[in-house]
Amino acid sequence: MRLWLVRHGETEANVAGLYSGHAPTPLTERGIAQAQTLSTLLRNVPVDNVLCSELERARHTTQLILGDREIPVRNMPELNEMFFGDWEMRHHRDLAHEDAENYAVWCNDWQNATPTNGEGFQVFSQRVERFITQLTEYKASQNLLVVSHQGVLSVLIARLLSMPAAAMWHFRVEQGCWSAIDFCDDFAVLKVLNSRAVWREGE
């Protein structure tokens, strides 16, 4: 099985530098163009199924990538970005003043601290683990397109490569690119990271 990993296109929150987990934030014109470009880059991939975050920015990206291709799409909460609670759509400069104590604790121990009224990293990474176990439902599939978010995809890559979830920072998943992991019998190989090339059969 090959997993084709795509991060949603650029959003207004990305441009503003805001924490955007579950809060709605639309694609920018550049984000729309990134998704349309990916439609061209991945046009020849024989995708069997699409697994997508429930969040609108990922679903919009998926729609633009697929275009007129009729491929089953499953929206999955396990692929949603980490929920930042009261910090949603806030800038770190503001949090450092307005929620200084909690924000400082989180910055110093992000693996164990929790954003105010949000989702801690341990809970979040366990959610990604649940997604990995659900991949067994697609054993008959050869090509799965996964459209999600920076945090989710970084943890996913780390865990599939048998690295701890905290190793996510080694894998920066960029917008407007595709990555690919070959996954078989609980063993994974990272084949491509952040490509902007057109995929052709035999590659």
Side-chain angles (χ1 to χ4, degrees), residues 1 27 30 35 51-52 57 76 81 93 114 144 159:
M1 176 194 299
L27 299 183
R30 183 178 183 221
L51 307 180
C52 180
R57 58 192 185 271
M76 305 180 66
E81 184 59 287
R93 287 194 299 266
T114 301
L144 289 179
R159 293 302 298 133

Side-chain angles (χ1 to χ4, degrees), residues 72-175:
V73 177
R74 178 181 175 186
N75 297 319
M76 305 180 66
E78 291 80 7
L79 291 174
N80 293 350
E81 184 59 287
M82 180 172 160
F83 177 51
F84 288 98
D86 293 353
W87 300 353
E88 293 274 332
M89 304 304 287
R90 307 282 298 283
H91 197 282
H92 67 87
R93 287 194 299 266
D94 298 325
L95 295 174
H97 295 289
E98 298 167 13
D99 194 4
E101 183 176 349
N102 289 334
Y103 190 64
V105 170
W106 188 71
C107 288
N108 290 326
D109 189 15
W110 60 272
Q111 292 187 54
N112 298 300
T114 301
T116 305
N117 295 316
E119 181 181 33
F121 180 72
Q122 300 299 328
V123 174
F124 169 64
S125 58
Q126 288 167 10
R127 180 153 59 78
V128 178
E129 293 282 356
R130 288 200 300 274
F131 170 75
I132 292 174
T133 63
Q134 290 173 306
L135 289 175
T136 58
E137 300 174 24
Y138 296 91
K139 283 186 175 179
S141 298
Q142 292 185 324
N143 294 279
L144 289 179
L145 175 61
V146 180
V147 183
S148 187
H149 309 264
Q150 164 67 33
V152 175
L153 296 175
S154 295
V155 171
L156 177 62
I157 293 171
R159 293 302 298 133
L160 287 175
L161 297 180
S162 300
M163 300 171 69
M168 62 179 289
W169 304 111
H170 292 286
F171 305 101
R172 173 71 182 177
V173 181
E174 298 177 2
Q175 291 165 322

Side-chain angles (χ1 to χ4, degrees), residues 59-79:
R59 291 191 289 115
H60 190 189
T61 299
T62 296
Q63 292 168 358
L64 293 171
I65 291 173
L66 294 183
D68 58 0
R69 300 171 73 183
E70 295 185 4
I71 301 171
V73 177
R74 178 181 175 186
N75 297 319
M76 305 180 66
E78 291 80 7
L79 291 174

Side-chain angles (χ1 to χ4, degrees), residues 5-21:
L5 309 180
V6 169
R7 181 184 175 191
H8 64 78
E10 181 188 81
T11 67
E12 293 180 1
N14 294 151
V15 174
L18 307 179
Y19 286 103
S20 55

